[in-house]
Structure formats: C-alpha cells, structure tokens
Amino acid sequence: MKEISEEQAFRIRRNLKDAGCTMPVVAQYLDLEARQCRCEQYRLLSCQKAALLQKLHRIQYKIDCLDHLVYIMRQEDEQERRQVSCKKQRL
C-alpha cells in the first residue's frame, strides 16, 4: 500500500469535492489511491465526469428552449413593427 501525506489527501479531497463528488466517492477514490488501483481511479473519475456532462446537457437544453422562445418573440415583434409601419405609410 502506498501512503499519501495528509496534505496530499486534503488536496485530493478538496479537488474531488469541488468537482461535485460525494463523500463516499471521495473515500472510495482515496481507498483506491492507497491500494494503487489507478485504472479504477480513472473509471471513477470518468463516471463523475459523465454525470456532470449529463447535467450540463440538461441545463443547456433548458437554455436552448429559452433562447428559442426569445427568438420567436423577436420575430413576432418584428413582424408587428412591419405591419404597423405599412399601415402608417398607407395613411
């Protein structure tokens, strides 16, 4: 087993927490670090990244929906302005 310093463990914990990892995931990662299971650490980090990307895509979809609504509203406003402008020109 490989020993890591308290400072290294602190930095790893902070980094994983900042990345949105739960405490059980952090503990699992540190256990894998102690047992030198690098491949499993990569797998664990990859799963966390995939989960974050999935959340990001869901949020991006919501933003896209709002952007689409704003686009439609602006088109309607522009069409209304043109119609008002045409009516004024006729008078």
Side-chain angles (χ1 to χ4, degrees):
M1 282 193 160
K2 178 179 142 188
E3 291 264 340
I4 60 172
S5 71
E6 276 302 312
E7 184 178 338
Q8 288 172 314
F10 172 79
R11 288 181 182 180
I12 291 170
R13 276 189 210 95
R14 185 176 61 194
N15 185 279
L16 292 173
K17 183 181 175 192
D18 289 348
C21 294
T22 61
M23 290 311 293
V25 170
V26 172
Q28 184 179 5
Y29 182 90
L30 289 172
D31 179 60
L32 292 168
E33 177 71 22
R35 293 188 292 133
Q36 299 181 3
C37 299
R38 187 65 83 192
C39 288
E40 287 299 310
Q41 286 176 303
Y42 283 123
R43 184 194 62 75
L44 193 64
L45 296 177
S46 180
C47 288
Q48 179 65 18
K49 182 179 177 179
L52 291 173
L53 282 170
Q54 191 174 34
K55 288 179 187 177
L56 175 68
H57 291 151
R58 283 194 301 265
I59 291 169
Q60 182 63 53
Y61 174 77
K62 292 175 183 180
I63 292 170
D64 291 344
C65 289
L66 293 173
D67 285 344
H68 178 70
L69 184 57
V70 168
Y71 173 77
I72 296 299
M73 291 168 60
R74 286 188 176 150
Q75 279 188 323
E76 290 171 354
D77 291 347
E78 183 60 32
Q79 186 177 10
E80 190 176 307
R81 274 190 226 109
R82 282 191 213 129
Q83 288 173 351
V84 169
S85 177
C86 287
K87 287 179 184 178
K88 286 182 180 179
Q89 289 178 358
R90 287 185 203 155
L91 297 175

